[in-house]
Amino acid sequence: MSETWTQYISICSPDKRSGYLSFCPEMPASRNHENSSICNNLWSPLVWHAICFIVRMMILPNCLRQPGYAIFMAVALLPGSMEAKSAGRKKLASELRSAQAGQSHQVIVQYKRIPGELEAAQLQRYGAELEAGLEEIRAVAATVPGENLEALADDPNVVAIWPDRAVSGFLDNAAPAVAADIAANYGWTGKGIGVAVIDSGINLGTDLGELDSGLTRVVYAQSFTRGGTADKFGHGTHIAGIIGGNGAASTGSFFTKTFRGIAPGVNLVNLRVLNRLGAGTDSQVIAAIQRAIQLKNTYNIRVINLSLGRPVYESYQEDPLCQAVAKAWKAGIVVVVAAGNYGRNNSAGNNGYGTITSPGNSPYVITVGSMKSMGTPWRSDDPIASYSSKGPTAIDHLVKPDLVAPGNKVISVLGRYGFLDMYEGTNIVPLSYYSSVSGTSKDYYVLSGTSMAAGVVSGTAALLLEKTPALTPDQVKARLMKSASKTFPTSSLATDPLTGFSYTSQYDIFTVGAGYVDITAALASTDLANKEALSPPVVYKDGKVYLVTSNSALWGESALWGESALWGESALWGESSVWGTSVLTSSNAPAGASALWGNSSVWGTNTTQAYSALWGENGLWADSALWGESALWGENLTISIAGEN
């Protein structure tokens, strides 16, 4: 059979862009037949395939009109047409399965291969507008008419289609509380380490420059949203100051306090994805992560800070944000993510458990919860912030957060003329607070949330990498977790300053993770993890929750990295622990699992309700009760501004 014929032997497929079936491909000019377009405008896929098949058998060469070939084609074509629709539908995220005709949807389309010209042409045929290439996860961002989504998903080269979901940011004494001042005394400042801040932008200012020359340490800037690279919200600049502010604007003879970040020598890479209201999309964040990977060697980017997130809709293995952060991690970049500010959420009877946001639900990244520094430079009186999101993660049930760090009422660099500065001026730090001069500060601002706590850990990671450049992301994560302070009270009470409501927090593994980050201990540590430091899963069985370990996991393989060393006995078991009489091992435990959550757990006498909320058939993972229909941004902004007493 000639190459020309091979090129034109193809199975016709429905054109769902326009609601009717496409014409059969035309034959070469020497063998063109009018009958080759007989399939046009037929509505039934079965009838259409049958007629297409008959026409092809009439006009194809004799060698293809053999009985065996006809039987094969009949069997292959007809049943396949019935299954295609359901197969394509399964590739659509649940939110897209009810897409209406006439409405366009911003989506992320993932392919089996890195998309190129063929995929771009296909999108155009379906009336889609290509927005951005997301090669790191073999995907594109595009706007697609609702009536064509299922047809696009039918393509065998398409793996999945997700909505381009909205993400938002999670909105003095933080540095001393984690011993950053001691690190500075030893000369560790993060110098030479690049930290990519994927946020609302970074405004250039005194505190983000070189102390001696005044030259900016923001070495690169790019925006993935409209409006340039400046911070028009005020969140990203604040985070950048926590990570690497040098305190220049509060240094001098008449200043009584100096506000330095954790690693005041780092270089900052400004990748703006959040708009003037602090909102962005999955595709913008993924594009920024992709850019950070591309610039890794140019600016020695060793850390990415993601003080943003959104609800979890699918397993981390399928979530496009989680796929992107895993790519960065495997490229040698430590990824630090805010846990989320939903620890007070009890809408599913869950007492705030199971509220970790994406991409903090990735087992690779360092997910950070928020502590309250209580206005003192020592950590002994610091409680957990009740709004700090708790694990285990939705769907995959991973232990999160990994660490906690100061995040409540943190003073850092003011993003001047941004939304927060212009509309929430009450949080501007008065000059009288840190100098002998009265008046209004133009340099510093107070914000609260796990966003701020993530910035603390990003700065800490930069210090470790300056001291020991050869550390891998897994080694940084494991060292920070093992060296973290594990001394906590059993519980604490907090009050919302706006509502007056009180919240009780327990200090279990799903609230504080491996502990309170301790920079001095981390810098003194010489431990080297030799396996992946993936956050482990937990399982529920017979009224208890168990920590699962595996041969490929770091945790539990030896005394050095055992559960007790990582999370501390008070977080897991023991007479004085919140886990009551639960023990490390149990005759009823699944193979390779250790008991965490017993019948005398943090839930008290309400265990049945709590277990049902987290693992029951109608519980947290089964519906949308946790997140509700209201926007997440409003709650985040309230916590960011007011913090917690």
Side-chain angles (χ1 to χ4, degrees):
M1 183 170 53
S2 70
E3 182 177 347
T4 303
W5 277 107
T6 303
Q7 179 181 356
Y8 285 90
I9 297 173
S10 61
I11 299 173
C12 298
S13 58
D15 181 359
K16 297 177 182 174
R17 287 179 296 124
S18 52
Y20 56 85
L21 304 176
S22 66
F23 57 85
C24 295
E26 291 184 350
M27 295 300 167
S30 59
R31 283 186 173 266
N32 197 5
H33 295 262
E34 284 188 3
N35 286 337
S36 65
S37 62
I38 194 171
C39 308
N40 197 31
N41 290 311
L42 293 177
W43 288 92
S44 167
L46 288 175
V47 174
W48 173 74
H49 270 301
I51 295 178
C52 244
F53 166 69
I54 293 170
V55 172
R56 283 184 174 277
M57 293 306 296
M58 292 171 58
I59 62 178
L60 289 178
N62 290 334
C63 63
L64 294 181
R65 284 192 259 120
Q66 302 301 320
Y69 179 78
I71 293 171
F72 168 77
M73 291 295 287
V75 172
L77 286 177
L78 295 179
S81 66
M82 293 187 292
E83 296 176 1
K85 183 173 182 179
S86 61
R89 188 172 178 78
K90 290 178 181 177
K91 299 178 189 178
L92 292 173
S94 58
E95 307 100 295
L96 295 175
R97 291 174 187 172
S98 58
Q100 299 296 312
Q103 295 180 351
S104 293
H105 295 263
Q106 292 180 314
V107 298
I108 295 174
V109 185
Q110 187 177 54
Y111 295 90
K112 291 180 180 178
R113 62 188 182 197
I114 295 176
E117 292 182 1
L118 285 176
E119 287 74 18
Q122 177 205 49
L123 288 169
Q124 189 174 18
R125 288 198 301 273
Y126 286 107
E129 294 182 16
L130 183 63
E131 305 292 346
L134 307 172
E135 292 84 3
E136 287 294 338
I137 62 168
R138 308 185 315 279
V140 296
T143 301
V144 183
E147 61 269 25
N148 297 335
L149 281 169
E150 197 169 315
L152 178 59
D154 281 341
D155 187 326
N157 190 35
V158 171
V159 174
I161 302 178
W162 304 281
D164 194 356
R165 296 164 178 141
V167 299
S168 61
F170 300 133
L171 295 176
D172 117 13
N173 293 300
V178 295
D181 52 339
I182 298 175
N185 290 338
Y186 281 96
W188 304 117
T189 65
K191 187 175 180 60
I193 302 298
V195 179
V197 180
I198 299 177
D199 212 285
S200 61
I202 301 176
N203 290 344
L204 305 183
T206 306
D207 277 21
L208 302 180
E210 297 280 1
L211 273 175
D212 49 358
S213 66
L215 295 175
T216 182
R217 285 180 289 118
V218 181
V219 294
Y220 180 88
Q222 183 175 341
S223 179
F224 299 86
T225 187
R226 296 177 181 178
T229 59
D231 186 0
K232 297 181 179 180
F233 182 51
H235 189 269
T237 301
H238 196 272
I239 298 298
I242 293 171
I243 296 170
N246 61 20
S250 54
T251 300
S253 58
F254 59 89
F255 289 104
T256 57
K257 293 182 176 71
T258 300
F259 305 116
R260 292 190 186 90
I262 304 300
V266 296
N267 291 326
L268 298 164
V269 175
N270 171 17
L271 301 176
R272 180 174 179 251
V273 297
L274 303 180
N275 63 20
R276 64 180 298 272
L277 296 178
T281 64
D282 278 7
S283 65
Q284 292 166 334
V285 176
I286 295 168
I289 293 171
Q290 183 170 281
R291 189 63 176 139
I293 296 171
Q294 295 166 351
L295 296 172
K296 176 179 179 287
N297 294 333
T298 304
Y299 297 106
N300 194 29
I301 297 174
R302 302 296 304 277
V303 182
I304 289 175
N305 186 91
L306 288 167
S307 290
L308 47 75
R310 53 131 171 97
V312 173
Y313 294 96
E314 55 258 318
S315 166
Y316 75 86
Q317 298 179 68
E318 301 168 3
D319 188 314
L321 275 181
C322 291
Q323 291 185 41
V325 295
K327 283 281 189 178
W329 191 270
K330 293 174 182 179
I333 302 175
V334 176
V335 183
V336 182
V337 184
N341 294 342
Y342 305 102
R344 298 173 181 170
N345 191 324
N346 194 37
S347 58
N350 54 305
N351 288 352
Y353 287 85
T355 56
I356 300 293
T357 54
S358 175
N361 62 319
S362 166
Y364 290 95
V365 304
I366 302 174
T367 305
V368 188
S370 175
M371 297 289 286
K372 300 187 293 186
S373 61
M374 302 307 291
T376 67
W378 45 82
R379 73 168 67 92
S380 59
D381 62 346
D382 293 1
I384 190 74
S386 66
Y387 53 74
S388 185
S389 285
K390 307 169 191 175
T393 64
I395 301 174
D396 301 297
H397 304 167
L398 304 180
V399 174
K400 291 285 184 174
D402 300 296
L403 292 166
V404 289
N408 192 67
K409 297 186 176 181
V410 177
I411 296 175
S412 184
V413 181
L414 169 66
R416 294 192 66 191
Y417 308 116
F419 177 88
L420 296 175
D421 177 23
M422 302 300 290
Y423 295 98
E424 298 293 343
T426 55
N427 279 35
I428 295 175
V429 181
L431 277 169
S432 58
Y433 178 74
Y434 62 100
S435 77
S436 57
V437 179
S438 61
T440 302
S441 167
K442 297 180 180 179
D443 299 300
Y444 298 106
Y445 197 80
V446 179
L447 283 176
S448 299
T450 57
S451 283
M452 288 69 232
V456 170
V457 173
S458 288
T460 303
L463 296 178
L464 290 185
L465 290 165
E466 180 196 14
K467 181 176 184 287
T468 313
L471 290 177
T472 66
D474 292 291
Q475 290 168 340
V476 170
K477 179 179 179 179
R479 189 174 287 189
L480 286 174
M481 291 176 69
K482 185 168 183 285
S483 63
S485 173
K486 305 180 194 308
T487 303
F488 295 104
T490 301
S491 64
S492 61
L493 184 69
T495 303
D496 186 311
L498 295 180
T499 65
F501 293 160
S502 295
Y503 302 90
T504 299
S505 298
Q506 307 289 341
Y507 289 75
D508 52 68
I509 193 172
F510 300 126
T511 301
V512 297
Y516 201 160
V517 67
D518 185 332
I519 294 176
T520 301
L523 287 171
S525 173
T526 57
D527 293 336
L528 289 175
N530 57 6
K531 291 185 178 180
E532 289 184 323
L534 301 180
S535 303
V538 293
V539 294
Y540 171 74
K541 181 183 179 184
D542 301 330
K544 292 184 179 181
V545 176
Y546 298 90
L547 181 69
V548 179
T549 58
S550 68
N551 293 332
S552 61
L554 176 65
W555 326 126
E557 69 165 357
S558 67
L560 177 63
W561 299 110
E563 289 97 334
S564 179
L566 258 295
W567 287 284
E569 293 187 0
S570 64
L572 294 173
W573 58 86
E575 294 179 0
S576 61
S577 77
V578 297
W579 305 116
T581 57
S582 297
V583 291
L584 176 59
T585 58
S586 169
S587 59
N588 295 321
S594 303
L596 285 180
W597 221 337
N599 294 328
S600 302
S601 72
V602 62
W603 301 106
T605 59
N606 238 353
T607 54
T608 303
Q609 176 187 348
Y611 291 145
S612 177
L614 286 175
W615 277 275
E617 293 181 2
N618 298 316
L620 186 61
W621 318 137
D623 54 34
S624 59
L626 175 65
W627 304 109
E629 297 180 358
S630 61
L632 299 177
W633 184 82
E635 181 181 351
N636 269 316
L637 185 61
T638 300
I639 290 173
S640 294
I641 297 300
E644 182 174 271
N645 293 333

